[in-house]
PDB file of all heavy atoms in Angstrom:
ATOM      1  N   ASP A   1     160.374  38.526  84.947  1.00  0.00           N
ATOM      2  CA  ASP A   1     159.237  37.641  84.708  1.00  0.00           C
ATOM      3  C   ASP A   1     158.136  38.377  84.007  1.00  0.00           C
ATOM      4  O   ASP A   1     157.422  37.848  83.152  1.00  0.00           O
ATOM      5  CB  ASP A   1     158.828  37.056  86.060  1.00  0.00           C
ATOM      6  CG  ASP A   1     157.791  36.005  85.930  1.00  0.00           C
ATOM      7  OD1 ASP A   1     157.964  35.065  85.050  1.00  0.00           O
ATOM      8  OD2 ASP A   1     156.854  36.031  86.710  1.00  0.00           O
ATOM      9  N   GLY A   2     157.856  39.646  84.462  1.00  0.00           N
ATOM     10  CA  GLY A   2     156.856  40.415  83.858  1.00  0.00           C
ATOM     11  C   GLY A   2     157.084  40.771  82.491  1.00  0.00           C
ATOM     12  O   GLY A   2     156.263  40.696  81.584  1.00  0.00           O
ATOM     13  N   LEU A   3     158.444  41.017  82.158  1.00  0.00           N
ATOM     14  CA  LEU A   3     158.828  41.383  80.793  1.00  0.00           C
ATOM     15  C   LEU A   3     158.699  40.088  79.943  1.00  0.00           C
ATOM     16  O   LEU A   3     158.314  40.184  78.671  1.00  0.00           O
ATOM     17  CB  LEU A   3     160.254  41.763  80.698  1.00  0.00           C
ATOM     18  CG  LEU A   3     160.593  43.207  81.397  1.00  0.00           C
ATOM     19  CD1 LEU A   3     162.040  43.437  81.363  1.00  0.00           C
ATOM     20  CD2 LEU A   3     159.860  44.206  80.638  1.00  0.00           C
ATOM     21  N   ALA A   4     158.996  39.013  80.425  1.00  0.00           N
ATOM     22  CA  ALA A   4     158.824  37.674  79.610  1.00  0.00           C
ATOM     23  C   ALA A   4     157.364  37.468  79.256  1.00  0.00           C
ATOM     24  O   ALA A   4     157.025  37.007  78.212  1.00  0.00           O
ATOM     25  CB  ALA A   4     159.366  36.507  80.453  1.00  0.00           C
ATOM     26  N   TRP A   5     156.457  37.699  80.305  1.00  0.00           N
ATOM     27  CA  TRP A   5     155.058  37.479  79.967  1.00  0.00           C
ATOM     28  C   TRP A   5     154.592  38.546  78.895  1.00  0.00           C
ATOM     29  O   TRP A   5     153.778  38.289  78.021  1.00  0.00           O
ATOM     30  CB  TRP A   5     154.174  37.639  81.242  1.00  0.00           C
ATOM     31  CG  TRP A   5     154.161  36.487  82.120  1.00  0.00           C
ATOM     32  CD1 TRP A   5     154.816  36.141  83.325  1.00  0.00           C
ATOM     33  CD2 TRP A   5     153.414  35.343  81.790  1.00  0.00           C
ATOM     34  NE1 TRP A   5     154.520  34.993  83.797  1.00  0.00           N
ATOM     35  CE2 TRP A   5     153.627  34.375  82.939  1.00  0.00           C
ATOM     36  CE3 TRP A   5     152.573  34.882  80.796  1.00  0.00           C
ATOM     37  CZ2 TRP A   5     152.990  33.125  82.887  1.00  0.00           C
ATOM     38  CZ3 TRP A   5     151.958  33.584  80.861  1.00  0.00           C
ATOM     39  CH2 TRP A   5     152.184  32.790  81.856  1.00  0.00           C
ATOM     40  N   LEU A   6     155.048  39.741  79.102  1.00  0.00           N
ATOM     41  CA  LEU A   6     154.706  40.769  78.069  1.00  0.00           C
ATOM     42  C   LEU A   6     155.236  40.396  76.684  1.00  0.00           C
ATOM     43  O   LEU A   6     154.506  40.679  75.640  1.00  0.00           O
ATOM     44  CB  LEU A   6     155.335  42.152  78.575  1.00  0.00           C
ATOM     45  CG  LEU A   6     155.025  43.320  77.660  1.00  0.00           C
ATOM     46  CD1 LEU A   6     153.495  43.618  77.655  1.00  0.00           C
ATOM     47  CD2 LEU A   6     155.722  44.562  78.085  1.00  0.00           C
ATOM     48  N   SER A   7     156.475  39.849  76.647  1.00  0.00           N
ATOM     49  CA  SER A   7     156.958  39.498  75.339  1.00  0.00           C
ATOM     50  C   SER A   7     156.126  38.386  74.659  1.00  0.00           C
ATOM     51  O   SER A   7     155.802  38.309  73.444  1.00  0.00           O
ATOM     52  CB  SER A   7     158.430  39.020  75.476  1.00  0.00           C
ATOM     53  OG  SER A   7     159.198  40.000  75.991  1.00  0.00           O
ATOM     54  N   GLN A   8     155.657  37.316  75.505  1.00  0.00           N
ATOM     55  CA  GLN A   8     154.868  36.297  74.983  1.00  0.00           C
ATOM     56  C   GLN A   8     153.524  36.718  74.525  1.00  0.00           C
ATOM     57  O   GLN A   8     153.017  36.390  73.555  1.00  0.00           O
ATOM     58  CB  GLN A   8     154.687  35.253  76.094  1.00  0.00           C
ATOM     59  CG  GLN A   8     155.974  34.479  76.385  1.00  0.00           C
ATOM     60  CD  GLN A   8     155.645  33.417  77.337  1.00  0.00           C
ATOM     61  OE1 GLN A   8     155.072  32.318  77.177  1.00  0.00           O
ATOM     62  NE2 GLN A   8     156.072  33.545  78.730  1.00  0.00           N
ATOM     63  N   ILE A   9     152.852  37.689  75.291  1.00  0.00           N
ATOM     64  CA  ILE A   9     151.581  38.328  74.936  1.00  0.00           C
ATOM     65  C   ILE A   9     151.758  39.027  73.601  1.00  0.00           C
ATOM     66  O   ILE A   9     150.927  38.841  72.673  1.00  0.00           O
ATOM     67  CB  ILE A   9     150.993  39.195  76.000  1.00  0.00           C
ATOM     68  CG1 ILE A   9     150.698  38.403  77.292  1.00  0.00           C
ATOM     69  CG2 ILE A   9     149.902  39.995  75.524  1.00  0.00           C
ATOM     70  CD1 ILE A   9     150.432  39.247  78.448  1.00  0.00           C
ATOM     71  N   GLY A  10     152.813  39.837  73.389  1.00  0.00           N
ATOM     72  CA  GLY A  10     152.998  40.625  72.278  1.00  0.00           C
ATOM     73  C   GLY A  10     153.229  39.695  71.070  1.00  0.00           C
ATOM     74  O   GLY A  10     152.732  39.834  69.905  1.00  0.00           O
ATOM     75  N   LEU A  11     154.075  38.588  71.269  1.00  0.00           N
ATOM     76  CA  LEU A  11     154.320  37.577  70.197  1.00  0.00           C
ATOM     77  C   LEU A  11     153.006  36.857  69.746  1.00  0.00           C
ATOM     78  O   LEU A  11     152.842  36.894  68.515  1.00  0.00           O
ATOM     79  CB  LEU A  11     155.252  36.538  70.819  1.00  0.00           C
ATOM     80  CG  LEU A  11     155.541  35.289  69.869  1.00  0.00           C
ATOM     81  CD1 LEU A  11     156.231  35.687  68.591  1.00  0.00           C
ATOM     82  CD2 LEU A  11     156.304  34.210  70.589  1.00  0.00           C
ATOM     83  N   PHE A  12     152.216  36.351  70.594  1.00  0.00           N
ATOM     84  CA  PHE A  12     151.021  35.733  70.193  1.00  0.00           C
ATOM     85  C   PHE A  12     149.967  36.754  69.545  1.00  0.00           C
ATOM     86  O   PHE A  12     149.187  36.331  68.660  1.00  0.00           O
ATOM     87  CB  PHE A  12     150.296  35.003  71.352  1.00  0.00           C
ATOM     88  CG  PHE A  12     151.101  33.700  71.602  1.00  0.00           C
ATOM     89  CD1 PHE A  12     151.960  33.539  72.606  1.00  0.00           C
ATOM     90  CD2 PHE A  12     150.893  32.520  70.711  1.00  0.00           C
ATOM     91  CE1 PHE A  12     152.548  32.366  72.872  1.00  0.00           C
ATOM     92  CE2 PHE A  12     151.502  31.373  71.061  1.00  0.00           C
ATOM     93  CZ  PHE A  12     152.371  31.211  71.986  1.00  0.00           C
ATOM     94  N   LEU A  13     150.072  37.957  69.925  1.00  0.00           N
ATOM     95  CA  LEU A  13     149.193  38.971  69.417  1.00  0.00           C
ATOM     96  C   LEU A  13     149.630  39.235  67.945  1.00  0.00           C
ATOM     97  O   LEU A  13     148.733  39.248  67.033  1.00  0.00           O
ATOM     98  CB  LEU A  13     149.286  40.269  70.212  1.00  0.00           C
ATOM     99  CG  LEU A  13     148.444  41.489  69.615  1.00  0.00           C
ATOM    100  CD1 LEU A  13     146.971  41.212  69.579  1.00  0.00           C
ATOM    101  CD2 LEU A  13     148.791  42.676  70.368  1.00  0.00           C
ATOM    102  N   ILE A  14     150.928  39.371  67.662  1.00  0.00           N
ATOM    103  CA  ILE A  14     151.328  39.507  66.380  1.00  0.00           C
ATOM    104  C   ILE A  14     151.049  38.329  65.419  1.00  0.00           C
ATOM    105  O   ILE A  14     150.651  38.479  64.309  1.00  0.00           O
ATOM    106  CB  ILE A  14     152.853  39.927  66.308  1.00  0.00           C
ATOM    107  CG1 ILE A  14     153.129  41.231  67.082  1.00  0.00           C
ATOM    108  CG2 ILE A  14     153.334  39.914  64.903  1.00  0.00           C
ATOM    109  CD1 ILE A  14     152.405  42.421  66.443  1.00  0.00           C
ATOM    110  N   LEU A  15     151.264  37.171  66.039  1.00  0.00           N
ATOM    111  CA  LEU A  15     150.984  35.981  65.293  1.00  0.00           C
ATOM    112  C   LEU A  15     149.515  35.792  64.897  1.00  0.00           C
ATOM    113  O   LEU A  15     149.168  35.414  63.700  1.00  0.00           O
ATOM    114  CB  LEU A  15     151.380  34.739  66.096  1.00  0.00           C
ATOM    115  CG  LEU A  15     152.921  34.532  66.399  1.00  0.00           C
ATOM    116  CD1 LEU A  15     153.196  33.285  67.250  1.00  0.00           C
ATOM    117  CD2 LEU A  15     153.781  34.490  65.092  1.00  0.00           C
ATOM    118  N   GLY A  16     148.745  36.175  65.857  1.00  0.00           N
ATOM    119  CA  GLY A  16     147.282  36.111  65.539  1.00  0.00           C
ATOM    120  C   GLY A  16     146.872  37.012  64.492  1.00  0.00           C
ATOM    121  O   GLY A  16     145.973  36.831  63.727  1.00  0.00           O
ATOM    122  N   LEU A  17     147.512  38.311  64.403  1.00  0.00           N
ATOM    123  CA  LEU A  17     147.170  39.285  63.364  1.00  0.00           C
ATOM    124  C   LEU A  17     147.593  38.737  61.948  1.00  0.00           C
ATOM    125  O   LEU A  17     146.988  39.217  60.910  1.00  0.00           O
ATOM    126  CB  LEU A  17     147.868  40.635  63.672  1.00  0.00           C
ATOM    127  CG  LEU A  17     147.312  41.298  64.966  1.00  0.00           C
ATOM    128  CD1 LEU A  17     148.199  42.551  65.276  1.00  0.00           C
ATOM    129  CD2 LEU A  17     145.895  41.692  64.700  1.00  0.00           C
ATOM    130  N   LEU A  18     148.558  37.890  61.944  1.00  0.00           N
ATOM    131  CA  LEU A  18     149.049  37.316  60.664  1.00  0.00           C
ATOM    132  C   LEU A  18     148.162  36.211  60.123  1.00  0.00           C
ATOM    133  O   LEU A  18     148.361  35.825  58.969  1.00  0.00           O
ATOM    134  CB  LEU A  18     150.525  36.925  60.707  1.00  0.00           C
ATOM    135  CG  LEU A  18     151.556  38.080  60.942  1.00  0.00           C
ATOM    136  CD1 LEU A  18     152.913  37.391  61.324  1.00  0.00           C
ATOM    137  CD2 LEU A  18     151.687  38.944  59.861  1.00  0.00           C
ATOM    138  N   VAL A  19     147.285  35.669  60.942  1.00  0.00           N
ATOM    139  CA  VAL A  19     146.537  34.508  60.598  1.00  0.00           C
ATOM    140  C   VAL A  19     145.270  34.938  59.846  1.00  0.00           C
ATOM    141  O   VAL A  19     144.511  35.791  60.367  1.00  0.00           O
ATOM    142  CB  VAL A  19     146.267  33.526  61.797  1.00  0.00           C
ATOM    143  CG1 VAL A  19     145.366  32.441  61.397  1.00  0.00           C
ATOM    144  CG2 VAL A  19     147.540  32.984  62.376  1.00  0.00           C
ATOM    145  N   ASN A  20     145.073  34.349  58.727  1.00  0.00           N
ATOM    146  CA  ASN A  20     143.745  34.496  58.016  1.00  0.00           C
ATOM    147  C   ASN A  20     142.978  33.209  58.139  1.00  0.00           C
ATOM    148  O   ASN A  20     143.279  32.184  57.484  1.00  0.00           O
ATOM    149  CB  ASN A  20     144.064  34.825  56.526  1.00  0.00           C
ATOM    150  CG  ASN A  20     142.747  35.258  55.827  1.00  0.00           C
ATOM    151  OD1 ASN A  20     141.687  34.843  56.175  1.00  0.00           O
ATOM    152  ND2 ASN A  20     142.835  36.111  54.832  1.00  0.00           N
ATOM    153  N   PRO A  21     141.851  33.173  58.879  1.00  0.00           N
ATOM    154  CA  PRO A  21     141.144  31.879  59.093  1.00  0.00           C
ATOM    155  C   PRO A  21     140.665  31.095  57.783  1.00  0.00           C
ATOM    156  O   PRO A  21     140.772  30.058  57.680  1.00  0.00           O
ATOM    157  CB  PRO A  21     139.934  32.404  59.927  1.00  0.00           C
ATOM    158  CG  PRO A  21     140.336  33.566  60.610  1.00  0.00           C
ATOM    159  CD  PRO A  21     141.310  34.234  59.679  1.00  0.00           C
ATOM    160  N   SER A  22     140.358  32.038  56.725  1.00  0.00           N
ATOM    161  CA  SER A  22     139.824  31.352  55.556  1.00  0.00           C
ATOM    162  C   SER A  22     141.026  30.627  54.868  1.00  0.00           C
ATOM    163  O   SER A  22     140.769  29.545  54.270  1.00  0.00           O
ATOM    164  CB  SER A  22     139.245  32.405  54.585  1.00  0.00           C
ATOM    165  OG  SER A  22     140.259  33.368  54.311  1.00  0.00           O
ATOM    166  N   GLU A  23     142.235  31.191  54.843  1.00  0.00           N
ATOM    167  CA  GLU A  23     143.331  30.554  54.265  1.00  0.00           C
ATOM    168  C   GLU A  23     143.731  29.287  55.156  1.00  0.00           C
ATOM    169  O   GLU A  23     144.153  28.284  54.658  1.00  0.00           O
ATOM    170  CB  GLU A  23     144.481  31.478  54.208  1.00  0.00           C
ATOM    171  CG  GLU A  23     144.414  32.575  53.260  1.00  0.00           C
ATOM    172  CD  GLU A  23     145.741  33.417  53.119  1.00  0.00           C
ATOM    173  OE1 GLU A  23     146.617  33.105  53.802  1.00  0.00           O
ATOM    174  OE2 GLU A  23     145.650  34.443  52.413  1.00  0.00           O
ATOM    175  N   LEU A  24     143.621  29.377  56.462  1.00  0.00           N
ATOM    176  CA  LEU A  24     143.895  28.391  57.370  1.00  0.00           C
ATOM    177  C   LEU A  24     143.038  27.073  57.065  1.00  0.00           C
ATOM    178  O   LEU A  24     143.607  25.979  57.104  1.00  0.00           O
ATOM    179  CB  LEU A  24     143.749  28.824  58.848  1.00  0.00           C
ATOM    180  CG  LEU A  24     144.461  27.980  59.894  1.00  0.00           C
ATOM    181  CD1 LEU A  24     146.046  28.033  59.680  1.00  0.00           C
ATOM    182  CD2 LEU A  24     144.117  28.455  61.294  1.00  0.00           C
ATOM    183  N   LEU A  25     141.853  27.322  56.765  1.00  0.00           N
ATOM    184  CA  LEU A  25     140.862  26.168  56.540  1.00  0.00           C
ATOM    185  C   LEU A  25     141.299  25.495  55.198  1.00  0.00           C
ATOM    186  O   LEU A  25     141.024  24.254  55.071  1.00  0.00           O
ATOM    187  CB  LEU A  25     139.443  26.706  56.424  1.00  0.00           C
ATOM    188  CG  LEU A  25     138.792  27.115  57.712  1.00  0.00           C
ATOM    189  CD1 LEU A  25     137.395  27.779  57.441  1.00  0.00           C
ATOM    190  CD2 LEU A  25     138.722  26.052  58.723  1.00  0.00           C
ATOM    191  N   GLN A  26     141.901  26.193  54.263  1.00  0.00           N
ATOM    192  CA  GLN A  26     142.328  25.569  52.977  1.00  0.00           C
ATOM    193  C   GLN A  26     143.419  24.498  53.200  1.00  0.00           C
ATOM    194  O   GLN A  26     143.414  23.505  52.467  1.00  0.00           O
ATOM    195  CB  GLN A  26     142.843  26.642  52.042  1.00  0.00           C
ATOM    196  CG  GLN A  26     141.787  27.694  51.605  1.00  0.00           C
ATOM    197  CD  GLN A  26     142.426  28.728  50.710  1.00  0.00           C
ATOM    198  OE1 GLN A  26     143.656  28.563  50.181  1.00  0.00           O
ATOM    199  NE2 GLN A  26     141.840  29.772  50.469  1.00  0.00           N
ATOM    200  N   TYR A  27     144.177  24.710  54.245  1.00  0.00           N
ATOM    201  CA  TYR A  27     145.250  23.675  54.543  1.00  0.00           C
ATOM    202  C   TYR A  27     144.994  22.811  55.767  1.00  0.00           C
ATOM    203  O   TYR A  27     145.836  22.166  56.236  1.00  0.00           O
ATOM    204  CB  TYR A  27     146.520  24.513  54.887  1.00  0.00           C
ATOM    205  CG  TYR A  27     146.865  25.518  53.749  1.00  0.00           C
ATOM    206  CD1 TYR A  27     146.940  26.892  53.907  1.00  0.00           C
ATOM    207  CD2 TYR A  27     147.335  25.125  52.479  1.00  0.00           C
ATOM    208  CE1 TYR A  27     147.249  27.780  53.004  1.00  0.00           C
ATOM    209  CE2 TYR A  27     147.714  25.983  51.500  1.00  0.00           C
ATOM    210  CZ  TYR A  27     147.564  27.414  51.741  1.00  0.00           C
ATOM    211  OH  TYR A  27     147.923  28.244  50.726  1.00  0.00           O
ATOM    212  N   ALA A  28     143.656  22.762  56.178  1.00  0.00           N
ATOM    213  CA  ALA A  28     143.372  22.039  57.394  1.00  0.00           C
ATOM    214  C   ALA A  28     143.693  20.520  57.246  1.00  0.00           C
ATOM    215  O   ALA A  28     144.227  19.938  58.119  1.00  0.00           O
ATOM    216  CB  ALA A  28     141.877  22.255  57.639  1.00  0.00           C
TER     217      ALA A  28
END
């Protein structure tokens, strides 16, 4: 259960690092 939570945290951290807010607004 702890490993699953750690995996989710790592996943969303990586996803967040890939997002550029200025590009995101272009496709809003």
Side-chain angles (χ1 to χ4, degrees):
D1 189 42
L3 292 175
W5 278 106
L6 182 62
S7 300
Q8 292 183 72
I9 292 169
L11 171 64
F12 281 102
L13 177 63
I14 298 300
L15 295 179
L17 292 173
L18 290 173
V19 175
N20 189 331
S22 60
E23 290 185 7
L24 199 62
L25 290 174
Q26 296 177 15
Y27 307 110

